[in-house]
Amino acid sequence: MANQKIKGMGFHHVALRTTNFEKSLEFYKALGMEFIVQWGQGPMTIAMFDIGDGGRFEIFANRGVDYPSEGRLQHFAFCVDDVEVAYAHALSIGAEALTPPKTVPLEDAIPEKITIQVAFVKGPDGEQLEFFKQL
């Protein structure tokens, strides 16, 4: 559904500050995201990826600041065709297991019941990634 208040508005990207830029860069490449562009130098380095559907994910070098790995941001969720395959692949490239793939019927969902399959891992900076599929 198109935004009727601000024409042309849509999702562009989510950004993450990293503690080890190179490690995060390689992790997200290995996760299958397409590297688009990188700019800046040293602690001012930034890179952007296409996650696969045109949505973008951006990583920042830490700029010498010690950011907490958890805060108001709960997790990044990525829709996938196969949650089990995505979870296994993430683990194979160094992600930390959090919640293995599970099917969750949402009996109290409104306006109708739905069933989802999800799995969670931690990325290189402790960021939580969710692999999501509505069944």
Side-chain angles (χ1 to χ4, degrees):
M1 174 183 301
N3 184 321
Q4 297 303 309
K5 305 266 185 204
I6 302 174
K7 302 295 184 196
M9 180 181 271
F11 176 79
H12 190 267
H13 73 270
V14 171
L16 174 72
R17 294 195 187 276
T18 66
T19 57
N20 183 326
F21 182 83
E22 290 301 323
K23 183 177 181 180
S24 291
L25 184 72
E26 293 309 312
F27 177 82
Y28 287 105
K29 283 180 182 178
L31 199 58
M33 293 184 185
E34 181 184 344
F35 175 79
I36 297 171
V37 64
Q38 179 175 319
W39 64 96
Q41 297 177 13
M44 302 301 283
T45 306
I46 301 167
M48 188 170 283
F49 301 88
D50 182 314
I51 63 174
D53 65 355
R56 296 183 178 196
F57 182 70
E58 187 176 44
I59 60 172
F60 285 72
N62 73 355
R63 300 184 179 181
V65 178
D66 186 21
Y67 294 99
S69 63
E70 295 184 12
R72 292 185 179 268
L73 179 66
Q74 180 77 21
H75 60 264
F76 300 112
F78 301 104
C79 56
V80 297
D81 289 338
D82 189 320
V83 171
E84 291 180 8
V85 168
Y87 178 80
H89 181 68
L91 296 181
S92 77
I93 61 170
E96 178 185 333
L98 284 178
T99 304
K102 66 180 181 176
T103 300
V104 181
L106 301 176
E107 299 291 333
D108 58 350
I110 298 171
E112 61 188 21
K113 298 176 187 178
I114 63 170
T115 300
I116 61 173
Q117 187 177 33
V118 296
F120 291 85
V121 299
K122 277 190 179 180
D125 277 288
E127 68 276 19
Q128 290 189 32
L129 308 178
E130 176 184 7
F131 302 113
F132 178 98
K133 180 175 183 176
Q134 183 171 335
L135 303 175

